[in-house]
Amino acid sequence: MARWVKHIQLRAGMRIDDLVQEMEKCGVFSAGRVAKAVEIYREMLRQKSTIFMGVGGAVVPGGLRQALTDAIRKDLVNVLVVTGANATHDLIEAFGGHHAQGDEQADDVELRNRRISRIYDVYVPQEAFEIFEDNIQPLLAKVLEKGSRISSAELLRRIGLELTDRNSFLKAAAEKKVPVFCPAIADSILGLQIWLYSQDHDIVIDTLKDIKEILELASGAKKPGAVLLGGGVPKNFIFQSMLLTPRSFDYAIQITMDRPEPGGLSGATLEEAKSWGKVAKDAKTVTVVGDTTVILPIILAAVMKRS
Amino acid sequence: MKEVTEVGKLKEGRFIIIDDEPCRIVGFSTSAPGKHGHAKAKIDAVGLFDNQKRTIVKPTSAKVEVPIIERGSAQVLAIVSNNAQLMDLNTYETFELPIPINLRGDVKEGVEVEYLQALGRRKIDRVKG
């Protein structure tokens, strides 16, 4: 019995990193795991790890767009793998569309009549997707020359460089040379718009090229670390990138609400990833079971350097 | 000869140019504005000359090219294997066209046929009378 559970002490006006320190002293349950995630993240930054962040779920509609942008600008992440939806919703805001606070109890048929789509208690007015279409089509024409055969990461880099909204994570990533992979780009409204464009323009977004590009990054990564928000395609794409290298991830932080029993990747433990050789046997890992919209801001705020 | 029109003005039975081929529209359905953005039309069309089925999806406000279809009447002067030698009944121009598979046997020497012309190419459309 080396360490006792120390009870969390709250003080008026305390800072996030002080709170995390209290959680660390407490050391148990989810608070202890949040503190461990912060400790692992800090170690990754000290070791100058190459940090791969997987962004699954409704992270951008849920209010974490600026957090991603700041994480990129403050060098807290080196490679991003996102779902098409997160890229789409970043672009919706970059083009002047908005996400609104709504009501999860609302009558959804009534919402449909009012041209509103719902993501739990976030409302997306249908105009947002019309604004998206009006802006993305000319942008695709600008960044894709005839005969283009490029990866999703190259497409998102080109799009990011054209944006003027400084709060866009795609813009921040393009400027900071942080590649953003979107291997399931077809599975999104961004993908649907690209397909519409491709009907009469000779272009292909070749997501197999993404494999080659992320493999290069995985091969050259220093003490690779994975930060996984939710699971899905981003989690697997990050983990499989290491399979063709002689190495594994030395660090992994996972935030999820899913359970391992049904066998789905999003709930799979990081221990399980060791059996696949994706995570090193002596890797430092932690899974925080909780809502990313609560957990991630705490972790990022705590690891950001005070300026 | 072609002109530009809005997708929303098209319907089944009309013509459209897809991949430089004049096509007849055999299916036309629209989706309301929604997650995909503005209202879209899904157009199924069959090439007049190559019989290839083509499908496109476009915003209903998009501009597309439509072939101008000209029709003419001609008399069959002679049949040479699967081709018919024809004489236009207005201009007396003579020319030769392949007989479409579904009209073989019906296009015979002496009968009158209707042909159509799109983007400079001609095709026997039906046997008259």
Side-chain angles (χ1 to χ4, degrees):
Chain A
M1 289 296 169
R3 297 182 70 188
W4 305 113
V5 173
K6 296 221 176 113
H7 297 280
I8 290 177
Q9 279 189 20
L10 299 177
R11 290 181 300 279
M14 72 194 298
R15 304 158 62 117
I16 285 284
D17 51 351
D18 293 333
L19 178 63
V20 170
Q21 202 174 0
E22 291 299 317
M23 291 174 163
E24 194 271 328
K25 283 192 243 164
C26 163
V28 294
F29 293 178
S30 293
R33 278 159 188 80
V34 166
K36 190 173 180 197
V38 169
E39 181 193 310
I40 291 174
Y41 214 129
R42 284 184 178 142
E43 184 173 331
M44 288 194 293
L45 295 173
R46 270 199 308 277
Q47 298 286 341
K48 303 203 178 335
S49 280
T50 305
I51 301 175
F52 294 70
M53 184 181 276
V55 186
V59 167
V60 168
L64 293 184
R65 181 181 188 235
Q66 185 74 55
L68 290 180
T69 301
D70 289 342
I72 293 162
R73 292 205 194 277
K74 290 178 188 292
D75 301 309
L76 301 182
V77 54
N78 306 108
V79 178
L80 275 166
V81 180
V82 305
T83 57
N86 279 306
T88 301
H89 287 271
D90 181 68
L91 289 169
I92 283 175
E93 295 217 1
F95 296 149
H98 294 288
H99 298 88
Q101 294 177 25
D103 175 7
E104 79 279 10
Q105 310 269 334
D107 176 343
D108 287 283
V109 175
E110 170 64 17
L111 288 183
R112 173 73 182 150
N113 293 335
R114 287 168 55 202
R115 296 166 40 95
I116 291 168
S117 302
R118 183 170 74 82
I119 309 169
Y120 194 55
D121 59 354
V122 171
Y123 285 175
V124 192
Q126 224 160 74
E127 300 91 77
F129 291 103
E130 292 167 12
I131 293 170
F132 180 66
E133 179 165 6
D134 292 339
N135 284 273
I136 196 68
Q137 289 293 331
L139 192 48
L140 291 172
K142 192 166 179 189
V143 302
L144 291 170
E145 65 272 17
K146 190 167 180 274
S148 288
R149 301 282 183 275
I150 60 172
S151 65
S152 73
E154 174 60 14
L155 175 69
L156 292 179
R157 186 188 72 81
R158 293 183 188 182
I159 289 175
L161 288 176
E162 295 293 331
L163 301 175
T164 52
D165 176 10
R166 279 198 46 85
N167 298 328
S168 159
F169 84 81
L170 289 175
K171 178 182 173 67
E175 286 177 355
K176 289 286 284 181
K177 298 188 169 33
V178 169
V180 182
F181 293 92
C182 187
I185 195 162
D187 177 37
S188 67
I189 296 304
L190 175 57
L192 190 145
Q193 289 289 343
I194 297 168
W195 172 75
L196 286 169
Y197 182 80
S198 75
Q199 289 180 107
D200 26 40
H201 298 87
D202 175 27
I203 59 118
V204 173
I205 304 306
D206 183 351
T207 53
L208 297 180
K209 281 195 172 159
D210 286 299
I211 295 182
K212 179 168 179 286
E213 290 173 21
I214 201 168
L215 177 60
E216 289 295 317
L217 295 167
S219 304
K222 196 185 163 213
K223 288 199 148 278
V227 178
L228 306 164
L229 317 179
V233 168
K235 178 179 177 183
N236 186 66
F237 200 68
I238 287 174
F239 275 167
Q240 81 169 22
S241 74
M242 218 46 88
L243 290 179
L244 291 174
T245 74
R247 3 195 353 220
S248 310
F249 278 95
D250 294 319
Y251 303 100
I253 297 168
Q254 163 167 273
I255 305 172
T256 186
M257 294 287 289
D258 288 345
R259 298 199 52 90
E261 292 87 348
L265 181 69
S266 305
T269 64
L270 295 171
E271 289 303 306
E272 187 176 309
K274 290 181 182 176
S275 78
W276 294 85
K278 296 166 173 173
V279 170
K281 62 180 192 295
D282 53 353
K284 294 188 175 166
T285 67
V286 65
T287 294
V288 185
V289 175
D291 182 333
T292 299
T293 63
V294 177
I295 307 298
L296 185 71
I298 295 174
I299 294 174
L300 290 181
V303 300
M304 273 178 191
K305 283 205 186 77
R306 296 174 194 177
S307 52
Chain B
M1 296 259 281
K2 56 194 180 188
E3 59 187 8
V4 171
T5 192
E6 251 181 41
V7 166
K9 292 180 178 157
L10 296 171
K11 58 182 185 182
E12 212 172 298
R14 298 268 181 87
F15 299 88
I16 183 172
I17 299 173
I18 304 175
D19 303 336
D20 297 324
E21 281 287 328
C23 302
R24 190 192 303 269
I25 298 173
V26 296
F28 186 91
S29 57
T30 52
S31 57
K35 195 184 178 191
H36 52 79
H38 297 287
K40 303 275 186 310
K42 178 171 175 285
I43 301 170
D44 300 310
V46 175
L48 288 179
F49 299 106
D50 65 3
N51 278 318
Q52 288 287 311
K53 188 171 175 194
R54 295 177 174 84
T55 298
I56 58 168
V57 178
K58 295 268 175 194
T60 50
S61 61
K63 301 276 192 289
V64 285
E65 288 184 330
V66 170
I68 294 175
I69 307 287
E70 289 169 289
R71 290 178 183 277
S73 294
Q75 191 168 29
V76 179
L77 301 178
I79 305 287
V80 183
S81 71
N82 287 326
N83 289 342
Q85 286 187 339
L86 302 164
M87 180 179 67
D88 187 284
L89 291 170
N90 281 325
T91 63
Y92 306 113
E93 178 198 353
T94 58
F95 53 94
E96 192 172 306
L97 287 179
I99 303 169
I101 290 168
N102 59 325
L103 294 179
R104 282 184 195 160
D106 296 334
V107 175
K108 293 180 283 218
E109 204 174 299
V111 303
E112 198 180 318
V113 298
E114 184 174 77
Y115 71 91
L116 53 79
Q117 179 170 321
L119 302 183
R121 280 184 285 168
R122 288 170 176 169
K123 176 193 176 176
I124 299 173
D125 195 37
R126 65 186 184 96
V127 176
K128 284 182 131 182

